[in-house]
Amino acid sequence: EEGDEELEALPRPRRRSSGGTGRRKRGKPDDHFSVDDDSDESDEPKARSAIKRKRSRGGVNEDFSAAALRAAEGEEELLKKSVTATLSREDGPLGVAVSGLLITAVHEGGAAHLEGSLAVGDVIVEVNGKDAGMEGELGPLLPPAKATPVRLKVVRYVKRDDHAAEVLAKAKSKVEAALALPTLAEEASRKEVEERRRVLSTAVNVGKRARLDAKQIQRLQIWLHA
């Protein structure tokens, strides 16, 4: 399941004339993650190459992702989505490639891929509670001990319609899972009862917000309060 999320609607930007292309600075590889520098500016879509990459101390400004998406997809309303993921390095590296603070790849089988919350285009804004913009790079912010979990807070820019479709799909999945719950035996433990109530309560709440089938929601409510 995806990490903690926060949403914020972004105002539509004023149209601007295209800026300079700006060259990508080559990052320094770190043993905890990889730095992606294989792309060729000339191969990028025209909309992306027309956007000036804003950097602070070598870091990618979070406005870049939003600007790139607006330029490539057209100026439609976007949502700024904050996601928090906690990753472990005990069994290997984080499994992401970064350019400054911009995630450019999530490697299959790595910690980030297995955790499932991060995506290409996310911009890292906090590492274990520290403002990533102060450093502008991920490496210096990683804890020295690999046994220490790495908690990343990122921002992501999504189109409102795409987010609505994602929320609806998740709500349907949770309701279907709740409807498929088996009946608990009389000797069920307190832990099993509490877990069942948690699943039913979550399904009822998301089902109501997504305005799913009223009869299904009513059935889950009966089970919840039985």
Side-chain angles (χ1 to χ4, degrees):
E1 187 173 346
E2 196 166 40
D4 299 334
E5 298 181 4
E6 299 175 8
L7 286 174
E8 175 186 343
L10 297 180
R12 296 176 185 273
R14 295 179 181 178
R15 291 187 177 276
R16 300 176 181 177
S17 59
S18 299
T21 57
R23 295 299 301 172
R24 184 190 300 270
K25 294 182 180 179
R26 183 176 296 275
K28 296 181 180 180
D30 183 274
D31 61 340
H32 302 305
F33 61 97
S34 60
V35 177
D36 176 31
D37 196 37
D38 296 329
S39 61
D40 184 347
E41 291 279 350
S42 62
D43 293 334
E44 291 185 345
K46 182 178 180 181
R48 289 181 63 90
S49 61
I51 299 168
K52 182 176 180 180
R53 284 108 189 273
K54 298 180 181 179
R55 294 178 179 268
S56 173
R57 296 188 184 180
V60 178
N61 188 291
E62 67 180 67
D63 291 339
F64 170 70
S65 290
L69 185 55
R70 283 195 183 100
E73 303 291 345
E75 291 187 3
E76 56 184 281
E77 187 175 9
L78 296 178
L79 295 175
K80 179 180 178 181
K81 181 177 180 180
S82 296
V83 178
T84 302
T86 301
L87 309 177
S88 171
R89 292 181 294 160
E90 291 188 282
D91 297 325
L94 294 179
V96 296
V98 297
S99 176
L101 295 172
L102 178 71
I103 295 179
T104 57
V106 177
H107 301 306
E108 186 174 356
H113 177 255
L114 295 175
E115 194 275 341
S117 298
L118 303 180
V120 172
D122 290 350
V123 179
I124 301 168
V125 293
E126 286 184 14
V127 180
N128 286 7
K130 296 181 180 179
D131 183 359
M134 297 298 292
E135 289 288 346
E137 296 180 4
L138 177 59
L141 294 167
L142 293 174
K146 291 191 176 183
T148 303
V150 178
R151 184 174 175 83
L152 300 179
K153 181 177 181 180
V154 304
V155 293
R156 178 182 307 158
Y157 297 91
V158 295
K159 292 184 288 185
R160 181 178 290 276
D161 289 347
D162 290 346
H163 176 69
E166 179 185 354
V167 170
L168 180 60
K170 286 185 177 181
K172 288 181 177 180
S173 177
K174 289 182 182 295
V175 168
E176 290 172 359
L179 289 171
L181 286 174
T183 303
L184 288 180
E186 293 184 5
E187 62 273 15
S189 66
R190 181 177 179 180
K191 183 178 180 180
E192 290 175 321
V193 173
E194 290 179 349
E195 176 62 16
R196 177 183 173 85
R197 289 181 61 82
R198 184 192 67 78
V199 173
L200 289 172
S201 178
T202 299
V204 168
N205 290 334
V206 299
K208 284 183 176 180
R209 287 199 297 267
R211 299 181 180 180
L212 298 183
D213 189 280
K215 291 183 178 180
Q216 291 184 335
I217 303 303
Q218 185 177 23
R219 186 189 313 172
L220 293 177
Q221 287 177 313
I222 293 173
W223 292 356
L224 178 61
H225 299 293

